[in-house]
Amino acid sequence: MKTGLFITLEGGEGAGKSTQSRRLKAALEDAGREVILTREPGGTPEAEKIRDLLVQRDGGNWTPMAECLLFFAARQMHVETLIKPALAAGKVVICDRFTDSTIAYQGYGHGFDLSIIQQVAVLSLGDFKPDLTFILDLPVTDGLARSLKQKDVSSGKENTEDRFEKLQHDFHEKLRQGFLKIAAEDQERCVVVDATQNADDVYSVIWTRIQNAL
Ligand SMILES: Nc1ncnc2c1ncn2[C@@H]1O[C@H](COP(=O)(O)OP(=O)(O)OP(=O)(O)O)[C@@H](O)[C@H]1O
Ligand SMILES: [Mg+2]
């Protein structure tokens, strides 16, 4: 039976998840693997509709439980219709954010009960989880500066300071510590990568670990 490899990238805003995901896809394809690059929330037409409900500014004032269920409704569709079939066909699936982001943001960040998130995870996904998770770790100010710089470049605006304040430093610190706890509790699956390094060095840590897993 063919078996693929399910890799997730996690970490706060601006940590480099999307940058590394794209590089990884290209490198794995050069190495002759078939690769699916996907992201959460989203990844399938149905799950992208749920993403719109969750991420749009006026997308609704969800209770924490409703929000959690929406994330896992999207994730369940994504896993069953895209990720599992790709893995069964021997492909490598790279996913930009997955369950760990719900645990970090809704749980550690917003204070929703971690054991409820775990129960919903088991209910919707069973014991399905990534083979390998890279947690890109970066001091909060560095991550926010990177992601603001990127947004300013794409919007052509220069109101960095205003928006920086709105991004709630404390919340992002909770996120960072949450991701580190997740990694400490599942060291077999999770690799913490120092994301203050330049993109080439971050990539080489990731690539070395993946070659061991392939
Ligand atoms: N190692 C690095 N050193 C410096 N800058 C980087 C590094 N990796 C990525 N960047 C830059 O930081 C910005 C954010 O990177 P990227 O979009 O990959 O992060 P992300 O984790 O996907 O963020 P988000 O959570 O907002 O999607 C981009 O402008 C990117 O070019
Ligand atoms: Mg990204």
Side-chain angles (χ1 to χ4, degrees):
M1 197 184 107
K2 286 185 184 174
T3 49
L5 188 69
F6 182 32
I7 300 166
T8 57
L9 285 104
E10 297 280 6
E13 265 108 287
K17 299 176 296 297
S18 301
T19 303
Q20 297 298 330
S21 302
R22 288 190 294 267
R23 289 186 71 155
L24 201 50
K25 177 177 192 279
L28 285 161
E29 284 174 346
D30 284 348
R33 298 292 301 234
E34 272 193 271
V35 182
I36 303 282
L37 175 56
T38 186
R39 63 147 186 201
E40 288 213 343
T44 73
E46 298 81 3
E48 290 288 334
K49 286 182 190 167
I50 297 177
R51 179 191 181 93
D52 289 344
L53 297 177
L54 289 165
V55 305
Q56 279 170 10
R57 185 171 287 270
D58 297 318
N61 192 14
W62 306 105
T63 62
M65 185 59 164
E67 188 179 59
C68 177
L69 291 168
L70 284 170
F71 273 112
F72 278 99
R75 185 162 296 133
Q76 203 269 346
M77 286 296 304
H78 192 201
V79 167
E80 290 303 320
T81 67
L82 185 93
I83 298 174
K84 280 186 178 172
L87 295 175
K91 297 176 187 173
V92 178
V93 177
I94 303 168
C95 191
D96 187 337
R97 296 193 182 281
F98 196 64
T99 298
D100 296 324
S101 278
T102 309
I103 296 171
Y105 280 76
Q106 275 60 51
Y108 288 107
H110 292 300
F112 188 51
D113 192 325
L114 291 169
S115 74
I116 294 178
I117 300 175
Q118 292 294 358
Q119 288 174 59
V120 176
V122 169
L123 196 64
S124 53
L125 308 180
D127 61 2
F128 182 79
K129 60 178 183 172
D131 297 302
L132 202 49
T133 296
F134 294 96
I135 296 194
L136 304 184
D137 180 55
L138 192 66
V140 170
T141 43
D142 297 14
L144 293 179
R146 274 189 203 170
S147 83
L148 284 166
K149 193 172 142 204
Q150 185 182 33
K151 278 166 194 153
D152 282 344
V153 168
S154 56
S155 69
K157 287 186 190 147
E158 296 211 16
N159 54 347
T160 303
E161 280 180 9
D162 264 354
R163 293 212 312 254
F164 191 88
E165 280 169 12
K166 285 183 201 143
L167 280 166
Q168 301 164 332
H169 190 282
D170 291 355
F171 174 76
H172 285 89
E173 189 58 47
K174 286 189 210 164
L175 273 186
R176 184 188 186 196
Q177 298 309 324
F179 277 122
L180 292 174
K181 280 186 205 151
I182 290 166
E185 284 165 11
D186 194 349
Q187 295 181 30
E188 215 167 294
R189 172 175 67 88
C190 299
V191 180
V192 177
V193 183
D194 173 5
T196 62
Q197 304 174 91
N198 67 50
D200 288 344
D201 290 346
V202 172
Y203 173 72
S204 93
V205 172
I206 293 175
W207 185 239
T208 303
R209 184 66 187 77
I210 283 176
Q211 279 175 314
N212 294 337
L214 280 173

